[in-house]
Amino acid sequence: MDYIDYYKVLGISKTATAEEIKKTYRKLARQFHPDVNPNNANAHKKFQQINEANEVLSDSEKRKKYDKYGKDWQHGEAHEQARRQQHSQGFGGGQGSSGSFDNDEFSDFFSSMFGNAGRQSRTKYRGQDVSASLQLNLSNVFTTHQQTFTINGKNIRITIPAGVENGQVIKLKAYGNPGMNGGPAGDLLITFQVSNDTAFRRAGNDLHLTKEIDLYTAVLGNDIMLDTLHGKIKLKIKPETQNNTKIRLKGKGFPVYKSEGEFGELFITYHVTLPQNLTEKEKELFTELSKLQKNGNS
C-alpha cells in the first residue's frame, strides 16, 4: 500500500489555505465529473482521487493528522490511539467536502489513516445543466401545444407557448443531471429551432406577404380570397391599385408570446403581373386603350 500525496493530487502546495483548497477542488470536480466524462474510466478514477484528497485536506483535523503522520501512516493510528486514551476523545467531525462516490471507493491508504470515521461530511453540489434543441415549424408555434421529446432516456412532455421565436431558449428547472451528495438537479435548457414552412415572412409578431394580382384586377378592382394562418379572409382590391401597394391587416399577424389573444399585424404587398402571350385581338384592344389614354391626357 503506497503513500498518497493529496497535495499533489489537487496540484496545490502544502501551505495552501482552506479557500485555495476549496476553489481548486471545485474546479477539478467539475472538470472530471462523471456527467461531463461519461464512460471515461480514467476521468472517474481521477474524480475519486480528488474527492478523497479533498475529504482530507478540507477538514482541519484530518489535514493535521495527515500532515503529521502522512509518510509514517503505518504507525500513525497507533500514535492516535494512545493520544485518544490520554485525552479521552477522538477526532471531531470535519467540515470538508467530498464527491459522490461510495465509501468502499476510498483508497486503502485513506482507510488505514482514518478508518470509517473519516468518511463523514458530504457537501451537496448542484447537478450539471443539460442543453437540448427542439425543431419546430412556424405553423407549429402559431398555437400553444404540447410536445414530447427524449432527454437522457427520459420522455419529457412540455407545453410550448404560441409565439416562440427561432433561437429562443427556455429553462426547465431541475430537469438536468442529478446533483452530487443529494444536491439539487441541474436545469434543462431548450433552444427552439423554428423553420418557416409558410408563405409568410415573420418579423417579430408581424407577418409579411407578397400577393400577386393580375393587371385587370389591379385596374378594375375586385374581391379576392386570401389564405392566412387565421384562416381564409376576403380582400377588397380597389380599382387602379398600383404595383407594390402595401396594406395592413390589424390582428392578423403572429401571436404575441405568452399574451393570450394578442396578435401582431399582417402586411400585404400587391405585385401586379402583366399578361403574357397576348392574342392579336388583345393587342388591338391594348393599342386602342393606349390611344384613348393619350388623347385623354392631351
Side-chain angles (χ1 to χ4, degrees), residues 80-90:
E80 285 302 306
Q81 288 178 356
R83 191 180 72 84
R84 283 197 291 268
Q85 290 175 358
Q86 292 175 359
H87 296 278
S88 299
Q89 61 181 19

Side-chain angles (χ1 to χ4, degrees), residues 6-20:
Y6 291 133
Y7 292 101
K8 185 176 181 181
V9 170
L10 294 183
I12 57 177
S13 69
K14 291 186 177 181
T15 58
T17 64
E19 185 61 31
E20 288 173 336

Side-chain angles (χ1 to χ4, degrees), residues 192-243:
F192 293 107
Q193 305 292 340
V194 182
S195 301
N196 192 351
D197 61 336
T198 74
F200 301 94
R201 177 175 63 84
R202 182 182 182 185
N205 299 318
D206 296 330
L207 294 174
H208 296 260
L209 177 69
T210 297
K211 177 64 179 176
E212 291 189 350
I213 58 174
D214 59 48
L215 177 64
Y216 310 106
T217 300
V219 172
L220 302 174
N222 200 359
D223 291 341
I224 64 171
M225 298 301 296
L226 180 70
D227 288 321
T228 74
L229 296 180
H230 295 263
K232 287 183 178 294
I233 60 174
K234 181 186 286 188
L235 291 179
K236 186 175 184 64
I237 299 178
K238 297 178 181 180
E240 301 180 9
T241 293
Q242 300 298 305
N243 188 45

Side-chain angles (χ1 to χ4, degrees), residues 283-295:
K283 290 178 181 179
E284 290 176 9
L285 291 173
F286 273 110
T287 300
E288 187 66 25
L289 284 173
S290 176
K291 292 178 180 179
L292 289 173
Q293 184 74 13
K294 289 179 180 178
N295 292 334

Side-chain angles (χ1 to χ4, degrees), residues 4 6 48 51-56 62 98-99 101-111 114-116 118-122:
I4 298 177
Y6 291 133
Q48 294 173 359
N51 273 283
E52 180 173 311
N54 185 68
E55 179 79 21
V56 175
K62 287 198 278 288
S98 66
F101 55 99
D102 296 332
N103 283 346
D104 58 5
E105 295 187 51
F106 281 90
S107 68
D108 292 339
F109 172 76
F110 178 94
S111 299
F114 303 103
N116 291 331
R119 307 166 184 178
Q120 295 182 11
S121 62
R122 296 291 177 106

